[in-house]
Amino acid sequence: MLAEVSGADAQEYEYMEGLTTDCRLVLSLPNYGTGTAQLQFYDDLAGPELTAAAAYDRLALDGLLWGGPFEWSGTFEYDKAAQEWTLTGGGDVTDTTVDAIFHIVLSLNRASADAPGQQPQATAPNVQSADINAPLDEFLIGSWMAPPSNVMVEREVLVIHHDSTIEQYYATPGPDDTAETWLGGSWKLGEPSPGTWRVDGDKLIAEFENNLLSFETDVRVIAADSIEITVFYTRKEYRRLPLF
């Protein structure tokens, strides 16, 4: 943890600037990448019941930390060589008893989330659990891959985030890659095209900064890990990719 302090009373807390300490983050995400988090510094359970939301490579935390309002967001990355996850991001704690805001930067890896003395384990990809009877705006959150075309090996990927943002890009597989190797293979990702999304009834409406990529389509839910939608005037079955 690295702390920066701002606000009228910041001078009283100058000793906290640059403070570093070990921390442990425990996530429980049973419902479409949403759930709870516990944030512990040494033996201090500073954030016992934070709200957590994860989608693709992003994590957002919200709630009370040390009794003050706390909002934080970060990004996951997977180190294939070390077989470890890393999570880095920042957020603010507002002290309601004084005029000060504490900026918290967390940098976590898989080893820091294991029990003391336990060796980190390789992460096995898992497909995000989903209920096909869930509301469409919940069910769609995650990463979806289209099948390859007859002439192109690269695959279109749609990443639908819980914060109403969406990304579209193309991924090229290595010689032995399949959807099952998404988190451990040699996929090469292109530059994402950002945008926003919303649901209207049974329709998915995606609006991208590059308007040529925007689309509106009805969604047919086939199974927990597959949907059928129309993108670029072509009806395709998209498969849900592993979340972690």
Side-chain angles (χ1 to χ4, degrees):
M1 178 190 73
L2 304 175
E4 298 174 356
V5 188
S6 60
D9 296 329
Q11 190 171 359
E12 298 180 25
Y13 300 94
E14 285 184 339
Y15 68 93
M16 295 187 66
E17 293 279 354
L19 177 67
T20 303
T21 184
D22 291 334
C23 56
R24 177 185 175 90
L25 177 66
V26 180
L27 294 172
S28 176
L29 304 169
N31 188 24
Y32 316 107
T34 60
T36 60
Q38 294 184 350
L39 190 55
Q40 182 172 347
F41 300 95
Y42 286 118
D43 295 327
D44 179 17
L45 188 57
E49 293 184 1
L50 299 170
T51 299
Y56 187 49
D57 61 348
R58 302 182 188 180
L59 174 68
L61 303 176
D62 181 67
L64 297 178
L65 188 68
W66 292 304
F70 177 57
E71 292 185 0
W72 183 93
S73 61
T75 303
F76 292 104
E77 291 186 10
Y78 185 66
D79 186 329
K80 296 178 182 178
Q83 294 185 314
E84 288 184 349
W85 284 100
T86 60
L87 170 65
T88 304
D92 293 332
V93 181
T94 303
D95 194 322
T96 56
T97 61
V98 297
D99 189 356
I101 298 175
F102 300 87
H103 184 66
I104 307 297
V105 177
L106 300 178
S107 182
L108 303 170
N109 57 35
R110 176 63 189 263
S112 68
D114 292 328
Q118 181 178 345
Q119 294 298 315
Q121 301 296 316
T123 302
N126 289 301
V127 172
Q128 178 186 9
S129 173
D131 179 359
I132 61 174
N133 296 314
L136 191 60
D137 57 353
E138 295 179 1
F139 177 84
L140 288 176
I141 293 172
S143 301
W144 300 89
M145 177 181 284
S149 69
N150 292 331
V151 295
M152 298 176 65
V153 117
E154 59 184 8
R155 317 284 183 88
E156 180 204 355
V157 177
L158 295 173
V159 183
I160 300 176
H161 298 286
H162 74 281
D163 60 0
S164 299
T165 60
I166 187 171
E167 293 172 323
Q168 185 269 356
Y169 60 89
Y170 285 90
T172 304
D176 300 317
D177 280 328
T178 65
E180 284 73 21
T181 65
W182 180 247
L183 295 179
S186 23
W187 287 88
K188 294 182 179 179
L189 310 185
E191 286 295 321
S193 298
T196 60
W197 70 280
R198 59 188 172 89
V199 163
D200 184 4
D202 293 330
K203 289 187 177 296
L204 168 63
I205 302 167
E207 298 177 346
F208 292 91
E209 292 180 6
N210 179 356
N211 193 51
L212 294 175
L213 301 177
S214 299
F215 60 85
E216 178 177 332
T217 176
D218 61 299
V219 179
R220 185 171 77 91
V221 176
I222 300 173
D225 63 349
S226 60
I227 57 174
E228 188 179 69
I229 59 176
T230 300
V231 179
F232 306 139
Y233 307 102
T234 304
R235 193 78 178 169
K236 298 178 183 178
E237 182 177 335
Y238 285 67
R239 181 175 179 181
R240 190 190 296 274
L241 291 171
L243 179 64
F244 51 81

